[in-house]
């Protein structure tokens, strides 16, 4: 079965992969703090609606720094994602140094309890991220 397109904007596309029962999120271009927050809230909305336990978060097309949203993501949004039932969050790094740095900063700020049990794992390729989610 094909993926269902749930949301599309210049900054983010969100799909539900029916076969794998996960949310696929494709971030695009330069991100502002507000675009990160808005996109993350949309993700949370669809996680709840589709009862997703797995998220494939793809930053491959992200450019530049978005570190201003790192603390909010780590301390506010990720705990709500976990409480909503997400068990695995596969995060594909951007090739952009500054975007990768922003991802790492988010994980550095996150509480150790949030990272227990490999809730969030980072990858350099979509194939590796998908394989992790499938296991």
């Amino acid at each position: 079965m094909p993926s269902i397109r749930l949301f599309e904007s210049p900054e983010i596309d969100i799909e539900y992969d029916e076969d794998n029962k996960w949310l696929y999120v494709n971030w695009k271009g330069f991100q502002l703090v507000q675009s990160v927050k808005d996109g993350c809230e949309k993700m949370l909305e669809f996680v709840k609606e589709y009862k997703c336990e797995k998220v494939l978060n793809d930053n491959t097309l992200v450019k530049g720094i978005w570190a201003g949203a790192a603390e909010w993501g780590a301390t506010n949004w990720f705990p709500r994602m976990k409480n909503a039932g997400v068990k695995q969050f596969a995060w594909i790094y951007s090739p952009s140094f500054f975007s990768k740095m922003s991802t790492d900063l988010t994980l550095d700020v996150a509480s150790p309890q949030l990272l227990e049990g490999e809730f969030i794992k980072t990858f350099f390729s979509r194939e590796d991220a998908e394989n992790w989610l499938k296991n």
Side-chain angles (χ1 to χ4, degrees):
M1 297 178 112
S3 293
I4 301 169
R5 178 70 51 119
L6 303 174
F7 182 78
E8 186 175 355
S9 77
E11 297 83 19
I12 187 173
D13 295 332
I14 303 175
E15 300 174 2
Y16 179 68
D17 184 318
E18 291 182 308
D19 290 337
N20 293 301
K21 301 198 180 333
W22 66 48
L23 213 59
Y24 173 70
V25 183
N26 185 32
W27 294 86
K28 305 174 289 186
F30 290 95
Q31 299 292 324
L32 304 173
V33 170
Q34 195 59 53
S35 67
V36 170
K37 288 182 176 183
D38 291 346
C40 286
E41 293 298 342
K42 277 288 182 198
M43 289 170 68
L44 181 58
E45 176 185 320
F46 292 124
V47 159
K48 291 176 179 178
E49 183 177 339
Y50 286 84
K51 298 175 178 49
C52 295
E53 294 183 353
K54 300 178 180 190
V55 174
L56 180 57
N57 189 65
D58 192 344
N59 282 17
T60 304
L61 301 177
V62 175
K63 300 180 185 324
I65 195 162
W66 49 269
E71 185 175 351
W72 174 85
T75 62
N76 181 315
W77 181 72
F78 266 121
R80 291 188 290 135
M81 287 287 279
K82 196 167 191 177
N83 288 338
V86 174
K87 295 188 178 4
Q88 288 179 285
F89 190 93
W91 200 338
I92 305 169
Y93 280 125
S94 168
S96 161
F97 172 80
F98 291 110
S99 178
K100 181 184 179 301
M101 184 184 75
S102 300
T103 298
D104 289 340
L105 179 61
T106 303
L107 297 175
D108 288 345
V109 174
S111 72
Q113 295 85 357
L114 185 64
L115 302 176
E116 285 176 353
E118 292 196 324
F119 167 59
I120 304 168
K121 192 163 177 168
T122 55
F123 300 90
F124 289 98
S125 78
R126 182 170 175 171
E127 180 181 1
D128 289 344
E130 288 181 349
N131 287 337
W132 179 70
L133 288 174
K134 288 177 181 177
N135 292 329

